[in-house]
Structure formats: C-alpha cells, structure tokens
Amino acid sequence: MPNPFNPSVLKWHEPTSTLSIAVPQPFGYEPNIGYLSRSTNECLFAVDNSSIYKLLPLGDNLALIAVNSEDDLVLHVRIVHYSGTSLTSEVREDIARYVWEWFDLETDLAPFYAMEDPILRQVTEAFRGLRLMGIPDLFEAMSWGIIGQQINLAFAYTLKRRLVETFGTSLEWGGQTYWAFPTPERIAALTPEDLTLLQFTGKKAEYLLGVAKLMTQGELSKKGLLATGDFAAMEQELLRIRGIGPWTANYVLMRCLRNPAAFPLADVGLHNALKHVLGLDAKPSLAQIRQLAEGWQGWEAYATFYLWRVLY
DNA sequence: GCCCAGGGTTATA
DNA sequence: TATAACCATGGG
C-alpha cells in the first residue's frame, strides 16, 4: 500500500522548528546518504556530519533545511533558516511535502523487495532501505537530464555547478554558501552563448533554453503533466519536446514524476552496472537488457536506481 | 592520443 | 520502421 502525504499527521516541535517524520519501512538512512554523497562536486545539497543541508526556494522566500535520521525509523527535518517574516503552516507543509517527495516516502518498497529476480536480489540486499531519491522540481529534473546526455557524470556535475553558481539563487549561512537551482524565468532570458561560455554544447544550450521557455510560457509544468493521467501520456508529452528523447523522458518520469516503471533503457550507467553484476566481458545489448528486465516489471525505475549504486 | 560518457537529431535506406 | 552519421565537450 502506498503512503500518501498527509500534512495532518505531521509533528512539529517548537521552538526549533523541527519536524519528525515516521518513515515507512524498510528505510535506510545510510544508503541514501551514500547515494547523495556520490559526487564531491554536488552543488544543490551538502552532506555534513551525516545531516543533509538543502536550500529550498518557496515562492519568493528561501528555506534552508537540515535532514537526518539516527534510527531509520524517524526522519528529522530542521528548518535552519527561513528568509520570510513568519513560518506559516503553509510553508511548513511545503517543506514537509518536499522532503516526502525527495525521499519517495510515498512508495511502499515491500513489493519491490519481494520480486524474485536474481539481479534485484543482489542489489536490494546490498542497499537495503535505499529509496529512489527524487528531483521534485521539474525544471531541475529536465535540466539535469539534458546536462547528463552523452557526457560523463563528472563533467555533468561541473556543468551543473557552473549553471547553478552563475544563474541560481544562493544563501550565505554559517560560513557556507547554499545554492538553489535557477528558475526557468532566469534561464529563458538567456542567449545560447551565455551557456556555451560555460562549456555547454550548442545543443544543450538550445535544449535548456527551449525547456525554460516552455515553462515560462505555461506550456509545460509538473502539475500539467501529472494531470494528463497515465504515465504513457506523460512520456508522449515529454517526447514532443526538442532535446527530450526516450532516455531523458524516462529519467524525468523516474526522478520527478515518480513512475516506478519508468525505464531509461539507453542508460550507459545501467549497462555498465549490469555488465558488472553479471560479470560480462562487454556491455549487454539492448535486447539482452529487455530480457533481463522482464523480472523487474513495474519496478524498472527502482531497479535502475539500485543498479546505479553498484558503480557510483 | 584514444576511447568513453546517465543521448538526441537528422539523414538515409 | 530501422540503421547510420553527426554532434561537441571533458574525463581517464
């Protein structure tokens, strides 16, 4: 059974503005930290002393939050700083909802762990409690997908950092600078040269500006996509967008729109992970991968995410 | 210097 | 519908 977000059961503690979320089991904080720590070049959150710090844009205001868990039963969310005049219940709810989506607390992992597939068995045992960490913001998810097309992950992180630190929003706190992803408005106002200057290819610059413009013109939104009903329709909508192919569409379905069956089949990371866990000499063919994935039906996104952890 | 990287579009058959 | 060529850039 899924665990829908329910603001009425949220428990806030004063005066430190801390929220305790009883997380659905199984949940493992450590494997999630492991995923979030995979790049030392990440710019959109920081892991420090086993707490995750993240800057959230909420309307015109910013909230810096710290998340941690000591027992894998309760997730603590502390509002470190809020730029607005008062922490209304609406703001608190937005923050709680973001964390809920970010950690994919809606999903019940039990059926996934019950899948009888030899490959899944390996990775679910190795990363028990890992949840498919999301990218709740659609523009960020699509941008990160586009940035990651056909380049190695290290360079992708570098490009993202340049984009964020040039056009994003920041907050100084406790001697640290925290960054939030640029808004579509900011990116839509750029020229392709603004991005090629940061070593984006001409294509990536064009795609990013295109997506930003669709969003600022109201022709593309997370709410609008989710309202189309089924995931197949959402995928078709995404595929109509220039620069969004099958891999990126499924990446966005997986990390943002939360289709557990989204499957970025062309993902090189997935290919290399399968090569590794199966002890192959070469990367498996697409036909082989389709065959292997027959045992993952309904959970392809989670299978892919867990397999990524084998390599990085 | 070479192959590779969390692909997509366009041209061609 | 299916396959090939081209794209452009840094990492290792």
Side-chain angles (χ1 to χ4, degrees):
Chain A
M1 297 298 287
N3 316 292
F5 179 70
N6 181 359
S8 67
V9 301
L10 296 177
K11 282 185 284 186
W12 288 91
H13 309 286
E14 296 300 344
T16 50
S17 292
T18 301
L19 167 69
S20 301
I21 299 176
V23 288
Q25 301 297 308
F27 178 88
Y29 187 66
E30 204 50 44
N32 288 303
I33 288 286
Y35 170 74
L36 293 175
S37 306
R38 67 183 182 157
S39 170
T40 55
N41 204 15
E42 173 63 59
C43 60
L44 291 176
F45 52 81
V47 179
D48 182 38
N49 251 341
S50 80
S51 281
I52 312 161
Y53 291 81
K54 183 163 180 64
L55 185 64
L56 303 181
L58 302 170
D60 293 331
N61 289 308
L62 295 167
L64 177 64
I65 62 169
V67 181
N68 75 342
S69 175
E70 284 143 19
D71 54 9
D72 291 341
L73 299 173
V74 177
L75 202 56
H76 300 285
V77 183
R78 182 165 57 93
I79 302 175
V80 179
H81 174 74
Y82 180 62
S83 68
T85 49
S86 70
L87 261 178
T88 63
S89 57
E90 287 77 14
V91 171
R92 292 170 191 254
E93 189 176 320
D94 284 346
I95 291 170
R97 189 186 307 275
Y98 187 96
V99 174
W100 196 271
E101 273 196 52
W102 191 19
F103 281 82
D104 195 31
L105 298 182
E106 175 119 7
T107 299
D108 177 10
L109 288 181
F112 176 56
Y113 285 170
M115 301 285 278
E116 291 190 23
D117 178 87
I119 297 173
L120 292 190
R121 186 132 304 169
Q122 284 188 55
V123 290
T124 53
E125 281 177 13
F127 306 110
R128 185 168 177 80
L130 173 68
R131 308 197 71 91
L132 204 168
M133 298 300 296
I135 305 176
D137 178 73
L138 179 66
F139 184 55
E140 181 189 332
M142 294 184 73
S143 299
W144 182 226
I146 290 168
I147 289 171
Q149 291 170 0
Q150 187 56 22
I151 59 173
N152 62 71
L153 213 45
F155 184 43
Y157 275 106
T158 297
L159 286 179
K160 183 171 82 164
R161 177 180 286 281
R162 289 179 187 160
L163 183 75
V164 168
E165 294 186 349
T166 308
F167 304 110
T169 311
S170 68
L171 173 77
E172 305 275 344
W173 186 261
Q176 298 281 329
T177 306
Y178 298 92
W179 289 94
F181 201 76
T183 62
E185 288 74 16
R186 186 74 199 275
I187 302 302
L190 302 178
T191 65
E193 292 70 37
D194 293 322
L195 296 182
T196 52
L197 207 61
L198 306 181
Q199 306 307 125
F200 282 68
T201 63
K203 293 293 186 189
K204 283 194 203 302
E206 175 194 334
Y207 299 161
L208 278 176
L209 264 59
V211 169
K213 284 173 181 167
L214 284 175
M215 295 193 74
T216 56
Q217 291 162 0
E219 293 171 34
L220 173 66
S221 69
K222 185 175 181 180
K223 189 178 286 185
L225 281 173
L226 289 173
T228 61
D230 67 272
F231 290 118
M234 295 180 215
E235 182 178 3
Q236 288 310 307
E237 284 299 308
L238 288 169
L239 289 173
R240 289 171 56 187
I241 299 168
R242 185 169 168 76
I244 308 297
W247 178 84
T248 313
N250 279 272
Y251 185 86
V252 171
L253 283 163
M254 168 179 170
R255 303 282 315 270
C256 182
L257 301 173
R258 291 302 189 184
N259 175 9
F263 193 26
L265 182 66
D267 189 90
V268 178
L270 171 68
H271 303 174
N272 283 323
L274 286 170
K275 175 187 168 187
H276 180 79
V277 298
L278 296 172
L280 306 174
D281 293 327
K283 286 181 288 189
S285 68
L286 294 183
Q288 283 177 283
I289 296 169
R290 284 196 188 88
Q291 200 163 22
L292 292 169
E294 282 177 9
W296 311 344
Q297 280 182 27
W299 291 96
E300 289 87 346
Y302 256 93
T304 301
F305 195 76
Y306 270 61
L307 279 162
W308 280 346
R309 294 297 296 124
V310 171
L311 296 183
Y312 33 66

